[in-house]
Amino acid sequence: MSKVRILILRVPGTNCDAETAFAFQQAGAITSIVHIGELIRRERRLSDYQIMVIPGGFTYGDDIAAGKVLANELRLKLGENIQRFVDDGGLILGICNGFQVLVKAGLLPGKTNGNSPSLTLTANDSGKFECRWVHLSVNGQSPCIFTKGINSMYLPVAHGEGKVIVALEALPYLNIVLYYADEHGGREADYPHNPNGSVANIAGICDASGRVFALMPHPERHIWHTQHPQWTRQRAKEYGDGFQIFVNAVKWVQSS
Amino acid sequence: MHRIEVHLKSHLPDARGLSLVRDIYDLGITTVSKVHVVDVYWLDADLEPDMLELICQSLLADPVIQDYQYETATQGRDKVSKDCHVVEVAYNAGVTDPIEDTIMKALQDLAIKNVKAVKTARRYLIKGQLDEHQLGTICSRLLINPIIQHVVKAKLLKFPQSPQYRFKLEQVHLLEASKTELLEVKQQFGFTDDELQAIVAYFQQQRRSPTDVELETLAQTWSEHCVHKTFKGSIQFGTTTIDNLLKSTIIRATEQLNKPWCLSVFEDNAGVIDFDGRWALCFKVETHNHPSAVEPYGGAATGIGGVVRDPLGTGLGAKPILNTDVFCFAPPNLPYNELPKGVLHPLRIFKGVRAGVADYANRLGIPTLNGAILFDKRYVANPLVFCGTLGLLPKDLSQRGQQSPGDLVILVGGRTGRDGIHGVTFASEQLTEASTTVSYSSVQIGNPIVEKKLIDVMLQARDRKLYSRITDCGGGGLSSAVGEMAAETGVRVYLDKVPLKYAGLSYTEIWVSESQERMILAVPPDCVQELLSLFASEDVEATVIGKFTNDQRLQLLYQGILVCDLSMEFLHRGRPQLQREAVWEQPQHTEPDFTPPPDLGEALLSILSSWNVCSKEWVIRQYDHEVQGTSVLKPLVGKNGDGPSDAAIIRPILDSKMGVIVSNGINPNYGEMDPYWMAASSIDEALRQIIAVGGNLRRVALLDNFSWGNTSRPDMLGALVRAAEACYDMAIVYETPFISGKDSLNNEFQSEGETISIPHTLLISAIGVMEDVNRAISMDFKKADDLIYILGITHNELGGSEYFRSYGFVGNNVPKVNPQLARELMDKLSLAAEKSLVKACHDCSEGGIGVAIAEMAFAGGLGATVHLESVPLGEPIDRDDFILFSESNSRFIVEVRQENKDEFEEIMGNVSLAAIGEVNDSKVLEIYGLDGRKIVNKSISELKEAWQKPLRW
């Protein structure tokens, strides 16, 4: 079976590219960290890859608003290519800053039953950058292919603008994948379980196809058990909770 | 010209506004009910309304949450209701605003090309009854720092026109100067008498007067910051003459230890050690004290930016993989009437420094995993900001490069402006009241994304072997970087080739500017094209500005005219050695006299709540400490991830089990009694932390960072000598070489006839190589019924302790170190840890046994019962409070399983230890005194609350 090829987009201010590549490599894929200029200048083609990742970071300094400038650049300079990539069955994963970019570029939440809810991400309610570990409850009903078979995860967040804002009426048209939860899985948990004040505790969403997925927490930072903040207290499994997301994506491509 | 305002829709909470309301309340102004923060953008362009709509909708505003107005909406804007006050703040001309560059780029993406320039401002709508004085207080204490910002009237904002510079060669007529004129030159450039004499003699020999840029170059190259002339000077200390304190203590220890794993020490921008035979680690800690005192945010941010470029400029370039930051401030609750004139309040400095460090390091994607924050009133005018970076590079690239004559000088990264002009000489001089108003040109803001782009492309150029040598442009700018790099070869630089941020810089300003985010490369001619196109492909500027020669001269040209022509010999070896006197007398403090309080539980709570001991979680969580995915032991550990870790551990290569431990030791309180024991304690503390997390002393390297008062005072210098001597004595016994260091002297402030000197402050930073990260140990208690041991000897050593400080005393019994005993203990403890016999371990430092055990209990969510009567003592002590809170060095609290008791004790051999209690499920800490009476009985939730409350902002 030929190896799955992953494009990890690098832009000025991207900073989680290496560990994201590592996670996919552990899951058996071949990764290329590609500078946006290489795509714009057509030195590399998106269509040579099966999965595109927009990793965490502060693209263009997150000046004006997090992810905004890259979102415009993608929309205006690579919009058609990306749309074709998605239409042809490609997978897109946005982590943290990547979530902000995908939303602001209009690639998420996308249309569900003819409705496309207006959604954005903005400053945390605490007014602070928050680096902390959160419990996540996975929506088993979501079409997301990245989270198949996962019920819950424990992952770190590290962001200042992770609060999802969306009208409550629009929730039925949103494919929510992850909720911030308490340690028992309760999805109504307040701060600090919900670290940013997201509406309905939303931590990750996907499009109707389940192939475009974005989340604020960082699965690539929980690949090994020694990344778990309490690993010195308990005997843990070898792999961290985030690993399955990468395995799922690679397996899905292999089997489709 | 267009003006655009963007603000949150009114039904949404404004986090920036809410935090300002709290800050205003903290100033004692209670009438403000609401603050709205509005982002203002000025575009220098003439655009049609549909274009402006496009810009607002798709770039400047987020239509889901924000509203915007442009142009016409600005009319009548300052007519606001009586209880709403409007303040609009913009950056001063010449201050870098990174957002402006980004907006220009984004406008290009939108295919809008006819915008000439962008400015940003921030508008505050403050609701509540305020008189003019109160509004002024809010502005000056919270909204504006006049060094970088000013209030704008809505319609008066002007885009500054850069004056054109017309070349004129400036000469300083030294040879025929009068005494008064010579004195002026001496003061202007900060030369000593000897230095000026040497300069006059040199130019007499040349039979010409120097140019201004030649004197600037000498001033930079010979400054304390660049050449450490006090440490390298000749010091008369009593009857002994010390020729070069650095070489005779710190460097001497490293030379004597002669460890094969020390790859590059004291010769590059950072010290380098072998990691695993294939990779090397380099480590550097710097200070950015003076800039942080006048502009905390920008000063601290550029401190990070600067220290990150040290590893990047070490060997042939290292990837930055971890940051550590240590701050010293005055207490945040200092009454305003105790604030010296011309000084920013410590709370503002603290918040500004924290934000500057976080914004810069987070954007670079470097995890901030280690640090400390200390408080003392004497840091009020001279806060200390230590920033450190650990780098990783291939071992075969760890040696400093060497250029060949003919290699080109290439400047890469950011453009050059007036930033930080005279920063180095500023850093070496005392701060005075006037510094906060006149030294504006010393202040820099910094742009982390420019640096991030630089790091990304530099490491590619390194791996493609496109340059022969690299160094960073830091203090002293091109003058330092190019001048030092070319010391052995010679160089010719064409100053008019340097890309500028704005027109109007003179050739001298270009040469000494300290604009951030720049590096210098030496590039062989056949690599130049490939290097330039690589940099261009990632949109990072790279410019050939000169050529290395073989004539051992520093030659600068501007528009074809030679403006500087100095021999490298004179520049680098012509400085007369500094002559200083030093004295040392043991100070005597009042020996405390108070009766022990009956309930030591209350005393424990109060120490846990002290600024120095309390939880720093508020700071830690605003740093990204997980980026790069390398963390193994995080700064916060335990059951709920909120206990204080002794040291950080990372796994820099994600598929290798080898780790690096990073720790720091600092205790300025002890310096008041004896800087020798302060230094010894700091080293012991840094090493204890490495041992406590499961490390060992087999491969541990140290950095020293001295921040001192005015060392032209003999007593100050004497204290420095004492501290440096201890560094030698300790390093030799522990076998932990120093690999690099830095000093910041003259941290003294004069105001209204009063002189405030900082406490002698030595930061020891340590890195240790760990063979297997799976052996890491955290400090939280793990399981009920486990035994609690104390290792090491407790002495009556409460001088400088948190306990004495809580009573307002310093005392005299400074904690000492017996390095032989300590080393034996540490080695054995490492062995026990390698055999998995240690379940939790915490070092005893501030607050002694009491604080250590309390922290272990609440971090583990478990109770404990402890008996002081079995604690091994160095001499008879009859007071429970002294045993509980003594800060004797080289002690650990260790948790051991009952079934491992014998094996553990056997391994520890003749080390002084005792089982002093047990962990239990009670969630209460009970401590029994010498007479068997219960002296502490506190729930762990109460202890934790006391510890967390002070900095829960």
Side-chain angles (χ1 to χ4, degrees):
Chain A
M1 197 179 337
S2 69
K3 287 239 185 178
V4 176
R5 293 169 57 88
I6 319 269
L7 180 147
I8 293 167
L9 186 69
R10 185 166 63 84
V11 181
T14 299
N15 65 30
C16 302
D17 43 334
E19 55 270 39
T20 305
F22 179 79
F24 271 113
Q25 287 158 15
Q26 290 296 306
I30 294 178
T31 57
S32 307
I33 297 176
V34 175
H35 192 270
I36 190 167
E38 295 177 84
L39 289 177
I40 291 173
R41 292 190 300 268
R42 300 181 192 282
E43 294 162 14
R44 298 223 212 187
R45 292 183 320 183
L46 201 47
S47 54
D48 290 339
Y49 302 87
Q50 286 103 35
I51 303 177
M52 174 169 105
V53 188
I54 307 179
F58 291 80
T59 48
Y60 299 106
D62 278 355
D63 295 339
I64 306 169
K68 184 82 177 188
V69 175
L70 175 58
N72 274 344
E73 192 174 16
L74 288 181
R75 187 167 57 83
L76 296 165
K77 299 198 169 161
L78 295 168
E80 282 175 26
N81 292 354
I82 295 174
Q83 196 51 56
R84 202 173 317 123
F85 179 78
V86 176
D87 293 345
D88 290 350
L91 268 58
I92 298 185
L93 172 62
I95 302 170
C96 195
N97 196 234
F99 188 177
Q100 296 157 337
V101 171
L102 289 174
V103 164
K104 289 171 190 180
L107 286 155
L108 279 176
K111 260 193 188 151
T112 298
N113 300 335
N115 280 283
S116 57
S118 69
L119 175 147
T120 196
L121 289 133
T122 190
N124 299 346
D125 275 354
S126 67
K128 291 186 290 206
F129 184 95
E130 299 271 352
C131 181
R132 57 172 74 249
W133 284 67
V134 293
H135 295 279
L136 297 162
S137 165
V138 180
N139 176 9
Q141 314 298 311
S142 103
C144 182
I145 63 100
F146 291 84
T147 52
K148 286 278 173 274
I150 308 174
N151 293 321
S152 66
M153 288 186 286
Y154 191 45
L155 297 178
V157 293
H159 60 247
E161 298 182 40
K163 179 183 181 177
V164 173
I165 294 195
V166 62
L168 291 176
E169 319 68 275
L171 289 180
Y173 304 103
L174 204 57
N175 293 294
I176 302 173
V177 182
L178 300 173
Y179 297 91
Y180 297 113
D182 57 28
E183 53 271 50
H184 312 295
R187 295 176 183 174
E188 276 88 47
D190 288 333
Y191 182 85
H193 296 295
N194 176 348
N196 47 39
S198 276
V199 169
N201 279 28
I202 297 170
I205 60 173
C206 67
D207 71 347
S209 76
R211 287 182 286 109
V212 181
F213 168 49
L215 71 170
M216 285 314 293
H218 287 272
E220 80 284 10
R221 298 182 184 182
H222 194 190
I223 299 298
W224 297 133
H225 78 282
T226 54
Q227 291 164 324
H228 190 294
Q230 278 83 38
W231 77 269
T232 55
R233 295 182 64 78
Q234 62 211 20
R235 198 158 277 289
K237 36 196 180 176
E238 184 184 356
Y239 287 106
D241 287 357
F243 188 48
Q244 196 58 39
I245 285 191
F246 302 96
V247 172
N248 281 346
V250 172
K251 277 195 180 152
W252 190 88
V253 173
Q254 279 167 342
S255 63
S256 65
Chain B
M1 178 89 87
H2 304 284
R3 177 195 160 87
I4 299 167
E5 281 192 10
V6 178
H7 53 88
L8 274 177
K9 288 186 196 280
S10 53
H11 66 279
L12 293 168
D14 179 350
R16 289 185 297 184
L18 287 170
S19 110
L20 266 173
V21 170
R22 283 193 297 270
D23 288 344
I24 292 170
Y25 191 86
D26 287 346
L27 291 176
I29 299 170
T30 54
T31 47
V32 171
S33 58
K34 225 175 198 178
V35 177
H36 283 295
V37 185
V38 178
D39 291 308
V40 181
Y41 303 92
W42 297 82
L43 307 184
D44 187 1
D46 190 11
L47 299 169
E48 296 296 323
D50 60 330
M51 278 292 163
L52 286 167
E53 272 297 327
L54 177 72
I55 292 171
C56 291
Q57 282 202 6
S58 56
L59 181 64
L60 298 180
D62 183 337
V64 182
I65 51 168
Q66 289 170 323
D67 290 325
Y68 56 85
Q69 299 159 303
Y70 51 87
E71 265 190 333
T72 48
T74 63
Q75 283 161 10
R77 70 180 22 278
D78 285 333
K79 276 188 222 150
V80 280
S81 63
K82 219 166 66 188
D83 63 347
C84 182
H85 307 267
V86 179
V87 180
E88 190 163 321
V89 179
Y91 283 123
N92 298 340
V95 173
T96 321
D97 179 0
I99 298 176
E100 294 170 5
D101 289 344
T102 309
I103 295 173
M104 289 301 283
K105 180 246 162 2
L107 290 171
Q108 299 267 322
D109 287 349
L110 288 171
I112 296 169
K113 306 218 187 284
N114 47 350
V115 176
K116 291 194 278 292
V118 179
K119 294 280 295 170
T120 67
R122 197 163 275 179
R123 190 172 175 83
Y124 302 93
L125 306 173
I126 305 167
K127 287 205 173 123
Q129 284 216 325
L130 292 171
D131 60 31
E132 211 151 293
H133 175 74
Q134 288 173 312
L135 188 63
T137 305
I138 292 171
C139 285
S140 66
R141 295 211 175 134
L142 295 175
L143 305 183
I144 296 163
N145 186 346
I147 289 177
I148 53 162
Q149 292 158 317
H150 63 279
V151 173
V152 277
K153 291 280 170 202
K155 289 187 186 148
L156 294 181
L157 188 131
K158 284 200 182 99
F159 282 83
Q161 298 297 313
S162 298
Q164 288 303 308
Y165 168 70
R166 202 173 287 159
F167 172 72
K168 178 173 170 280
L169 185 66
E170 300 286 345
Q171 285 182 313
V172 183
H173 298 285
L174 265 195
L175 303 188
E176 51 272 20
S178 69
K179 266 200 176 151
T180 349
E181 286 167 332
L182 279 177
L183 191 67
E184 269 172 33
V185 171
K186 189 185 133 184
Q187 280 167 347
Q188 187 192 337
F189 293 95
F191 294 124
T192 66
D193 288 327
D194 289 354
E195 287 166 359
L196 188 63
Q197 244 176 41
I199 291 167
V200 170
Y202 174 80
F203 283 99
Q204 272 166 351
Q205 225 175 30
Q206 308 294 310
R207 297 181 190 182
R208 66 174 177 91
S209 292
T211 63
D212 59 339
V213 73
E214 288 176 324
L215 290 183
E216 289 282 5
T217 304
L218 287 161
Q220 300 279 16
T221 312
W222 294 3
S223 69
E224 185 65 61
H225 180 93
C226 291
V227 77
H228 310 288
K229 55 192 176 191
T230 302
F231 258 103
K232 292 178 181 169
S234 166
I235 300 171
Q236 192 62 40
F237 186 49
T239 53
T240 43
T241 309
I242 303 167
D243 175 23
N244 195 329
L245 182 61
L246 191 63
K247 270 204 172 142
S248 59
T249 56
I250 290 163
I251 295 181
R252 187 167 137 237
T254 305
E255 282 170 353
Q256 283 182 11
L257 291 170
N258 194 23
K259 295 287 181 190
W261 43 265
C262 283
L263 301 178
S264 169
V265 291
F266 294 102
E267 57 176 21
D268 208 337
N269 287 316
V272 190
I273 65 166
D274 192 352
F275 177 54
D276 62 359
R278 189 166 158 241
W279 293 91
L281 297 165
C282 67
F283 194 27
K284 183 61 175 269
V285 176
E286 291 247 18
T287 54
H288 223 222
N289 303 337
H290 292 60
S292 305
V294 291
E295 211 304 276
Y297 180 87
T302 51
I304 293 290
V307 79
V308 165
R309 290 192 301 277
D310 276 327
L312 196 61
T314 295
L316 288 178
K319 179 189 175 189
I321 58 169
L322 175 146
N323 278 354
T324 167
D325 304 299
V326 174
F327 311 139
C328 300
F329 302 126
N333 58 349
L334 185 84
Y336 275 90
N337 59 16
E338 291 180 29
L339 197 64
K341 216 176 141 194
V343 166
L344 296 176
H345 191 271
L347 181 62
R348 187 173 182 186
I349 295 183
F350 184 178
K351 287 188 171 180
V353 165
R354 186 218 59 75
V357 165
D359 282 357
Y360 207 102
N362 289 353
R363 276 173 174 68
L364 288 185
I366 303 170
T368 303
L369 271 147
N370 179 259
I373 310 176
L374 294 100
F375 298 91
D376 186 299
K377 256 188 191 179
R378 289 164 294 172
Y379 294 116
V380 67
N382 289 97
L384 304 183
V385 174
F386 299 93
C387 304
T389 301
L390 181 69
L392 182 74
L393 77 168
K395 188 182 167 187
D396 57 3
L397 303 180
S398 61
Q399 298 304 310
R400 193 169 66 183
Q402 184 57 56
Q403 75 277 18
S404 311
D407 283 3
L408 297 165
V409 184
I410 297 194
L411 173 63
V412 296
R415 295 192 148 215
T416 301
R418 270 198 198 88
D419 318 66
I421 285 195
H422 290 163
V424 165
T425 36
F426 169 60
S428 308
E429 281 161 17
Q430 294 163 12
L431 279 181
T432 63
E433 234 171 77
S435 306
T436 53
T437 51
V438 299
S439 54
Y440 66 92
S441 63
S442 289
V443 173
Q444 313 147 63
I445 302 291
N447 184 344
I449 297 308
V450 173
E451 183 138 319
K452 176 68 171 115
K453 280 161 67 176
L454 181 58
I455 296 170
D456 289 351
V457 74
M458 284 287 328
L459 294 176
Q460 294 176 58
R462 177 196 74 184
D463 293 340
R464 282 157 69 169
K465 306 199 183 317
L466 296 179
Y467 53 85
S468 51
R469 187 165 171 186
I470 179 170
T471 198
D472 75 306
C473 241
L478 291 173
S479 169
S480 258
V482 180
E484 276 174 37
M485 204 166 173
E488 312 302 325
T489 53
V491 72
R492 194 167 303 138
V493 179
Y494 303 90
L495 291 172
D496 45 339
K497 303 272 189 227
V498 174
L500 302 180
K501 287 183 187 174
Y502 35 80
L505 270 72
S506 74
Y507 60 90
T508 305
E509 287 175 316
I510 293 170
W511 183 239
V512 300
S513 159
E514 296 183 352
S515 286
Q516 293 292 305
E517 294 100 19
R518 300 179 304 162
M519 307 277 294
I520 292 286
L521 302 177
V523 181
D526 58 339
C527 297
V528 169
Q529 273 322 312
E530 189 181 346
L531 183 120
L532 293 180
S533 58
L534 170 64
F535 275 69
S537 76
E538 303 228 344
D539 194 25
V540 178
E541 218 159 353
T543 313
V544 178
I545 62 163
K547 193 183 251 190
F548 292 98
T549 59
N550 56 3
D551 60 7
Q552 281 84 42
R553 296 199 76 77
L554 175 68
Q555 293 189 319
L556 307 179
L557 291 96
Y558 189 84
Q559 295 175 355
I561 295 166
L562 196 61
V563 296
C564 167
D565 186 11
L566 290 171
S567 88
M568 287 293 183
E569 175 65 25
F570 178 64
L571 182 60
H572 292 291
R573 282 174 289 273
R575 184 181 59 84
Q577 195 184 31
L578 197 68
Q579 308 285 329
R580 285 268 195 261
E581 266 177 45
V583 294
W584 167 251
E585 258 178 73
Q586 179 86 44
Q588 280 302 315
H589 299 278
T590 322
E591 197 50 41
D593 178 21
F594 60 94
T595 45
D599 181 1
L600 292 182
E602 291 304 312
L604 179 57
L605 290 178
S606 114
I607 295 175
L608 285 167
S609 289
S610 67
W611 290 117
N612 281 348
V613 173
C614 75
S615 170
K616 308 299 184 295
E617 182 168 349
W618 177 79
V619 177
I620 295 166
R621 292 224 180 276
Q622 296 187 68
Y623 296 146
D624 190 344
H625 46 267
E626 300 285 2
V627 64
Q628 299 191 12
T630 51
S631 76
V632 171
L633 203 61
K634 307 171 200 297
L636 295 166
V637 296
K639 190 173 178 222
N640 295 308
D642 54 10
S645 183
D646 283 308
I649 306 178
I650 59 166
R651 173 209 289 251
I653 294 157
L654 289 171
D655 54 2
S656 153
K657 61 180 186 173
M658 285 189 67
V660 190
I661 309 174
V662 180
S663 71
N664 68 77
I666 180 169
N667 207 322
N669 294 342
Y670 302 161
E672 283 177 66
M673 293 158 290
D674 191 340
Y676 182 94
W677 293 116
M678 171 186 83
S681 299
S682 301
I683 293 171
D684 191 74
E685 184 182 16
L687 299 180
R688 288 199 306 267
Q689 293 171 358
I690 287 196
I691 302 301
V693 298
N696 57 64
L697 294 181
R698 286 193 286 271
R699 190 172 294 187
V700 175
L702 304 178
L703 302 181
D704 63 85
N705 262 271
F706 292 86
S707 280
W708 233 248
N710 181 353
T711 47
S712 61
R713 298 174 196 274
D715 58 328
M716 284 287 169
L717 189 56
L720 189 71
V721 172
R722 288 281 294 164
E725 284 173 341
C727 289
Y728 171 81
D729 293 347
M730 298 299 133
I732 285 292
V733 180
Y734 290 116
E735 291 191 69
T736 51
F738 286 90
I739 56 168
S740 188
K742 198 84 190 177
D743 53 88
S744 161
L745 310 179
N746 302 329
N747 289 287
E748 185 177 276
F749 181 84
Q750 289 178 333
S751 166
E752 294 165 342
E754 197 197 353
T755 301
I756 309 171
S757 217
I758 61 160
H760 314 310
T761 308
L762 169 62
L763 170 66
I764 297 290
S765 312
I767 46 171
V769 174
M770 190 174 198
E771 290 82 358
D772 181 358
V773 295
N774 293 298
R775 298 256 176 268
I777 299 163
S778 59
M779 49 69 71
D780 43 306
F781 281 145
K782 304 294 186 301
K783 193 169 86 52
D785 299 331
D786 282 356
L787 295 170
I788 301 170
Y789 278 88
I790 179 158
L791 272 52
I793 303 169
T794 301
H795 295 273
N796 180 354
E797 291 177 326
L798 287 102
S801 66
E802 286 298 327
Y803 185 58
F804 273 13
R805 271 162 70 98
S806 71
Y807 281 88
F809 292 104
V810 176
N812 295 300
N813 296 331
V814 63
K816 297 194 173 65
V817 180
N818 180 330
Q820 283 84 8
L821 279 185
R823 172 141 189 221
E824 192 188 342
L825 190 163
M826 289 182 190
D827 285 346
K828 286 182 172 159
L829 180 52
S830 296
L831 193 62
E834 274 162 32
K835 292 186 182 292
S836 300
L837 300 175
V838 175
K839 293 300 153 196
C841 184
H842 197 20
D843 85 307
C844 288
S845 55
E846 289 93 341
I849 300 173
V851 165
I853 292 183
E855 288 176 344
M856 294 173 87
F858 63 64
L862 291 163
T865 307
V866 173
H867 300 271
L868 292 187
E869 62 192 354
S870 29
V871 172
L873 302 178
E875 60 278 329
I877 305 175
D878 58 4
R879 287 180 62 151
D880 292 326
D881 54 345
F882 285 12
I883 297 174
L884 195 58
F885 299 126
S886 165
E887 297 183 6
S888 289
N889 286 299
S890 319
R891 295 180 304 157
F892 298 85
I893 306 291
V894 176
E895 177 186 2
V896 177
R897 294 265 186 276
Q898 297 270 7
E899 63 265 29
N900 294 332
K901 180 176 192 290
D902 295 340
E903 194 182 350
F904 177 74
E905 290 184 6
E906 195 185 315
I907 287 177
M908 295 311 293
N910 54 357
V911 163
S912 298
L913 59 74
I916 55 170
E918 283 181 21
V919 181
N920 61 44
D921 279 327
S922 72
K923 300 196 188 295
V924 174
L925 175 61
E926 291 178 320
I927 302 177
Y928 294 86
L930 294 171
D931 59 1
R933 198 171 49 89
K934 202 187 280 185
I935 52 169
V936 173
N937 185 17
K938 291 285 174 198
S939 74
I940 56 170
S941 57
E942 197 180 348
L943 294 165
K944 187 167 173 177
E945 175 63 18
W947 181 70
Q948 290 186 328
K949 202 173 165 217
L951 274 180
R952 194 188 280 138
W953 289 347

